[in-house]
Amino acid sequence: MSNEVIAVFTFKSREHILSVGGTCSWALNRAHARQLPYAVCTRNAHHAHVEGHEPHSSAFLIGRVKDIVPSPEVPGRWLITFSEYAEIDLPNVWKGWRNPVRYTTLEELGIDPATLDFKPMPSPAPEAAPAQDAEDEVVEEEVFKLTIAQAKLGLANAFGVSPDAIDITIRG
């Protein structure tokens, strides 16, 4: 089994993640992400709508990837569903990478899955999706602050190619 994982930098709480069946709403390469055994949730405590109490950049939850399905919260984004999860408490895991989705390894993150106590995921709550307005505001802010490098990285992620394979032309 691969040691490659997908790490996400989220402001959502552990309770929210468990209530929706996984972590969302991510722009990612679905074909690649669904082949990975684990997703690691790290805390973005500096986000304006932060829900969790864990220290900034710490890993607090790891899930066994069940599937990647359309996000119920943001159109065009993905929900990484979990079959099982384990609570973890590892400080300084997120290293300030620009993209909130990172393909990495368990070794790079300092995680040994043999030491984890996985539990079955609870059934998702029927009304788990929060109001979309707050999430839409975040997306709009990010879009207006998007750099060429971020756009290339996001497009490369979506199409499964290297950022060097992306050319962007701006006409003005």
Side-chain angles (χ1 to χ4, degrees):
M1 189 173 265
S2 169
N3 279 335
E4 188 179 13
V5 299
I6 187 167
V8 296
F9 191 50
T10 183
F11 68 91
K12 300 289 176 89
S13 69
R14 174 181 293 114
E15 293 76 23
H16 179 89
I17 292 166
L18 296 178
S19 75
V20 299
T23 181
C24 64
S25 299
W26 303 109
L28 51 77
N29 180 333
R30 181 178 187 245
H32 182 67
R34 39 187 334 203
Q35 296 175 21
L36 303 179
Y38 301 105
V40 177
C41 298
T42 63
R43 172 61 57 226
N44 179 357
H46 297 163
H47 192 281
H49 303 289
V50 66
E51 299 172 359
H53 62 277
E54 298 85 6
H56 186 72
S57 78
S58 66
F60 63 95
L61 191 76
I62 182 170
R64 289 190 200 270
V65 175
K66 178 179 177 182
D67 200 0
I68 311 294
V69 299
S71 169
E73 297 178 4
V74 179
R77 299 284 180 111
W78 300 99
L79 164 65
I80 305 169
T81 62
F82 299 157
S83 59
E84 298 178 298
Y85 74 98
E87 295 180 13
I88 56 179
D89 182 13
L90 296 172
N92 304 314
V93 170
W94 192 261
K95 302 299 182 196
W97 300 296
R98 287 185 148 202
N99 192 335
V101 174
R102 181 167 178 85
Y103 299 98
T104 183
T105 64
L106 292 171
E107 293 81 12
E108 183 181 354
L109 299 178
I111 298 172
D112 178 2
T115 65
L116 303 176
D117 179 26
F118 281 94
K119 302 172 189 161
M121 280 295 285
S123 297
E127 38 195 71
Q132 213 166 313
D133 294 340
E135 196 71 40
D136 286 344
E137 289 174 21
V138 173
V139 171
E140 284 181 25
E141 287 177 18
E142 291 172 3
V143 170
F144 288 114
K145 295 179 184 177
L146 188 65
T147 67
I148 296 290
Q150 290 168 325
K152 282 185 166 190
L153 190 57
L155 288 167
N157 214 3
F159 294 105
V161 298
S162 165
D164 297 333
I166 305 291
D167 289 324
I168 296 176
T169 304
I170 300 174
R171 293 178 175 74

